[in-house]
């Protein structure tokens, strides 16, 4: 496979609802397993726990950053990485992963998840994927104007 590169930019129509709630499935489960208070975790986001559990829902990037900041007492970097890997096996992502394997190039698959199109899980992230041989490199940058997470 030759080298290729694709860039996915955010879509302004998603302002205020930049993140798909499907990405929270594994995180909420892991916090619950650790005995964390899910209501306290989402307090101040403007959304109840039930909304974060709805894979068709969307929340703001600000709400996402608040939740992510509150995860620090529960998990270290390696644990968060493991939760992310586990999250790819949730009901939200399984169909996407299956379709991606069957129908898409690696760059298209990563763009589908990270890109700011209608199906993108993070509409405030500009992602660039590069493929060289057997390797995929994803460069994801938070769009200017959004707080770092």
């Amino acid at each position: 496979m030759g080298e290729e590169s694709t860039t996915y930019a955010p879509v302004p129509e998603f302002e205020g609802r930049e993140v798909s709630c499907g990405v929270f499935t594994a995180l909420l489960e892991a916090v619950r397993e650790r005995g964390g208070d899910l209501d306290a975790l989402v307090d101040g986001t403007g959304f109840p726990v039930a909304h974060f559990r709805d894979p068709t829902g969307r929340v703001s990037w600000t709400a996402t950053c608040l939740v992510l900041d509150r995860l620090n007492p529960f998990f270290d970097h390696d644990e968060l990485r493991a939760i992310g890997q586990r999250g790819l096996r949730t009901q939200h992502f399984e169909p996407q992963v299956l379709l991606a394997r069957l129908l898409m190039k690696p760059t298209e698959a990563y763009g589908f998840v990270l890109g700011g199109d209608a199906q993108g899980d993070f509409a405030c992230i500009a992602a660039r994927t590069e493929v060289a041989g057997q390797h995929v490199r994803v460069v994801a940058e938070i769009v200017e104007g959004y707080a770092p997470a």
Side-chain angles (χ1 to χ4, degrees):
M1 177 185 287
E3 291 188 22
E4 59 182 274
S5 179
T6 306
T7 300
Y8 298 87
V11 175
E13 294 87 51
F14 281 100
E15 187 173 340
R17 51 190 191 92
E18 295 89 0
V19 182
S20 167
C21 290
V23 303
F24 292 99
T25 303
L27 284 171
L28 293 175
E29 182 62 22
V31 170
R32 189 193 60 74
E33 288 172 358
R34 291 269 171 105
D37 181 348
L38 295 180
D39 289 318
L41 183 69
V42 303
D43 185 46
T45 64
F47 303 97
V49 172
H51 184 81
F52 279 89
R53 289 180 185 247
D54 178 0
T56 65
R58 297 189 76 85
V59 297
S60 68
W61 180 250
T62 303
T64 301
C65 290
L66 185 60
V67 170
L68 292 176
D69 286 345
R70 291 178 178 164
L71 292 175
N72 288 332
F74 292 99
F75 310 105
D76 63 25
H77 181 75
D78 291 334
E79 290 171 318
L80 284 173
R81 180 178 296 165
I83 292 166
Q85 290 171 344
R86 185 171 77 184
L88 290 174
R89 294 185 295 273
T90 64
Q91 289 180 339
H92 175 70
F93 282 110
E94 280 181 341
Q96 293 179 31
V97 171
L98 178 61
L99 282 173
R101 286 183 176 168
L102 294 173
L103 303 174
M104 299 177 183
K105 298 177 189 178
T107 55
E108 294 167 334
Y110 281 98
F112 181 75
V113 173
L114 291 174
D117 61 359
Q119 283 82 29
D121 288 311
F122 299 95
C124 59
I125 293 179
R128 185 177 77 248
T129 57
E130 301 169 353
V131 177
Q134 297 288 322
H135 302 280
V136 176
R137 179 174 174 239
V138 178
V139 178
E141 297 176 346
I142 299 170
V143 174
E144 187 175 330
Y146 288 98

